[in-house]
Amino acid sequence: MLPEHTDVRQHILDTAKPIILGKGFAAAGLNELLSAADVPKGSFYHYFKSKEAFGEALLDSYFCSYQERLAELLQRGGGTAGERLMSYWQLWLDTQANDGPDGKCLAVKLGGEVSDLSEAMRSALERGTSRIVDMIAACIRDAQADASLSADLNAADCALVLYNLWLGATVLTKIRRNRSGLEAAMVATRQLLSVAS
């Protein structure tokens, strides 16, 4: 069993994430998740009213962690803001093109699966992805301020287009089982931002 000081709720979420990234939300059974977390079923319902509430909490936790890592890269990383933004896309290409679950995008995995089935989970996806787009837009504005990107770009529109592009490319990568979609997204990103290869 878990040590008493362990945050059981977060432990359940952390343990479930790689399983759901591998199998999807519907295919991951509650017993499998609880067995992997070594938590009794009663504990699950102490922390989550339902599997849907658990899914919403999983997405909120995922986006919170993702946004912390994104802030570290886009706001506090080295180089110009334009270089930090391109580092983000390169990291995306590297992590989403590999076969393992590490670094995989939960929004891509669950977006199509749960958006029509659960309003709470769809809302969590919308909140999380909107905040990511806002962070990308802020980095574009920073890049315009330090002259590493063109002042002619509309930061909000550009951030939304780029995020949409990369989400779609990631889905195509899963479908094709190769990185051509992500590589094409990188070429398009460089063209849109007028960044040399």
Side-chain angles (χ1 to χ4, degrees):
M1 287 308 258
L2 298 169
E4 280 188 38
H5 66 277
T6 300
D7 181 343
V8 175
R9 182 179 188 277
Q10 191 60 48
H11 174 71
I12 295 169
L13 295 170
D14 292 343
T15 303
K17 184 179 133 193
I19 296 168
I20 289 173
L21 276 167
K23 298 176 94 171
F25 186 74
L30 206 49
N31 287 337
E32 177 184 11
L33 300 176
L34 295 173
S35 175
D38 195 25
V39 172
K41 199 169 199 172
S43 292
F44 178 86
Y45 289 109
H46 173 74
Y47 296 105
F48 311 103
K49 292 180 182 173
S50 64
K51 188 177 178 190
E52 180 184 26
F54 158 76
E56 181 182 12
L58 177 68
L59 287 165
D60 286 340
S61 174
Y62 167 76
F63 281 117
C64 182
S65 174
Y66 187 90
Q67 289 156 19
E68 288 173 10
R69 292 189 317 272
L70 188 57
E72 187 64 36
L73 179 65
L74 295 183
Q75 297 166 7
R76 297 180 286 278
T80 67
E83 290 167 342
R84 293 192 302 270
L85 183 61
M86 291 311 298
S87 292
Y88 172 56
W89 303 124
Q90 185 62 53
L91 179 63
W92 189 319
L93 191 155
D94 294 341
T95 57
Q96 301 312 302
N98 71 34
D99 289 333
D102 292 341
K104 290 292 187 191
C105 183
L106 200 57
V108 169
K109 183 67 175 183
L110 298 186
E113 180 186 354
V114 302
S115 290
D116 292 333
L117 303 176
S118 167
E119 180 58 23
M121 291 178 71
R122 187 206 62 76
S123 292
L125 283 159
E126 183 177 20
R127 284 190 308 272
T129 57
S130 293
R131 285 192 294 259
I132 291 169
V133 171
D134 290 345
M135 294 174 78
I136 295 167
C139 187
I140 292 171
R141 284 190 289 275
D142 290 345
Q144 290 171 317
D146 72 17
S148 57
L149 289 179
S150 169
D152 295 334
L153 293 169
N154 179 305
D157 291 346
C158 186
L160 182 58
V161 166
L162 287 170
Y163 191 69
N164 291 346
L165 169 70
W166 283 87
L167 278 179
T170 305
V171 171
L172 287 174
T173 295
K174 291 171 65 67
I175 292 168
R176 295 176 181 159
R177 297 192 189 266
N178 68 49
R179 51 190 282 151
S180 62
L182 291 168
E183 289 170 349
M186 182 62 87
V187 170
T189 298
R190 290 185 179 284
Q191 289 172 345
L192 180 63
L193 298 176
S194 300
V195 175
S197 302

